[in-house]
Structures are given as C-alpha cells and as structure tokens.
Amino acid sequence: MNINYQKAAISDLTILLELVEEFHETENLPFDKNSDRNVLIELLRNESFGQIWLILQKDEVIGYIVLTLGYSLEYRGRDAFVDEFYLRPKHRGQGIGTQTLIFAEEICHNLGVQALHLEVDFENIKAQKLYHRVGYQKHARFLMTKLMNEEA
C-alpha cells in the first residue's frame, strides 16, 4: 500500500472542497461552498489554527485529515483535535485509516502536542473500533457544544 501525505495549500482548495462536501454529505453535516471555502482558506493561511493533510495513494487524492490546535491545562499544554478525517469509501478497510492516525500522531509529536482528541458518532461502530484499536479511549464525559455564531 503506497500511501503518502501532503500538507494542503491554497492551491489544493478545489479538491479540498470536493472532499469536504463528500464528508459532510456522508455525515449529514451542513455544507455551504462559500462558507466552507472561506474557513478552509483561513485555516490554510494560519498554521497556529492547525493543519490540513491530503491523503494520497500514488498520485490520487483519496481523503484528508484536519488537525486543529488548542491548549489545555488538563493535558499540560498544547492539545489537538482531529476535526475532520475522511477517506473515500473504496479506500476504507485497507489499513489506511490506521496509518493516517499514526501519521497524525507523528505530526502532533513534532508540534509538541500532549493530547490528541477526536469525536465519533455513537452509531459509527466501525470507526469506534478503529479508534479503540489505535489507543483512543472513551471519557466519562460528553462533548457538549454551544454555537457562538448562527453561521457556524
């Protein structure tokens, strides 16, 4: 399996928007091409917010992973969040997800990240199994969110 990762740049915006739209459709998340385009540009231009990585098999882009950065007293410093992680359906179940999560951990290590978080839908049992297998654990807490802007 020949999988490579390429840090996304503004020049990758077209393929990123295509992948984000596929992911949001799959996960029943809202997608607005203009808003999502603007948010992607902002993230790509400011690495203090995080990084986006394209997942490639040979020369074909087959997915992406977004790592956003924060800071946590509980975790003693910088933490990160897998904000979005998407593989096109025909590339799933081949170990690429596991390899990509290991890659994300390497990136986090290089960035001095103390803890890497992610969220998964309660119904997405396949993804839960993958995440457990590579060391992610459930918390005795719920992730709760309050939108501070109606556009979000």
Side-chain angles (χ1 to χ4, degrees):
M1 170 176 33
N2 187 17
I3 301 301
N4 295 301
Y5 302 93
Q6 173 184 312
K7 191 184 292 186
I10 296 292
S11 59
D12 299 309
L13 200 51
T14 300
I15 187 66
L16 274 172
L17 275 169
E18 182 180 314
L19 292 165
V20 168
E21 183 173 17
E22 289 175 22
F23 175 67
H24 286 212
E25 184 177 300
T26 301
E27 296 294 317
N28 296 313
L29 298 170
F31 177 80
D32 177 275
K33 190 170 188 170
N34 291 328
S35 294
D36 288 335
R37 181 181 190 281
N38 292 337
V39 171
L40 284 168
I41 289 170
E42 190 171 1
L43 178 57
L44 290 167
R45 287 187 175 156
N46 192 340
E47 281 200 12
S48 68
F49 295 158
Q51 300 177 353
I52 304 172
W53 292 85
L54 297 174
I55 306 165
L56 295 98
Q57 189 170 43
K58 298 182 182 172
D59 291 330
E60 178 187 1
V61 177
I62 62 170
Y64 71 103
I65 188 165
V66 178
L67 297 173
T68 57
L69 299 171
Y71 197 85
S72 169
L73 292 176
E74 178 180 355
Y75 294 106
R76 310 289 191 258
R78 185 177 246 187
D79 66 348
F81 193 87
V82 176
D83 186 57
E84 294 195 357
F85 178 21
Y86 176 70
L87 280 175
R88 287 185 159 151
K90 72 178 186 178
H91 300 283
R92 297 177 189 164
Q94 302 172 32
I96 299 169
T98 300
Q99 182 178 332
T100 301
L101 290 169
I102 292 168
F103 172 78
E105 290 175 24
E106 292 169 6
I107 295 300
C108 287
H109 179 74
N110 292 337
L111 294 172
V113 168
Q114 303 298 311
L116 179 58
H117 314 282
L118 55 74
E119 65 181 329
V120 60
D121 286 341
F122 292 114
E123 297 82 23
N124 193 342
I125 303 303
K126 285 184 179 181
Q128 289 177 38
K129 287 180 181 179
L130 165 64
Y131 300 146
H132 284 295
R133 191 170 55 248
V134 296
Y136 289 85
Q137 299 177 16
K138 293 181 189 178
H139 290 275
R141 308 176 208 163
F142 291 102
L143 174 66
M144 298 175 72
T145 304
K146 180 176 182 178
L147 298 179
M148 304 306 291
N149 178 342
E150 288 187 30
E151 291 181 21

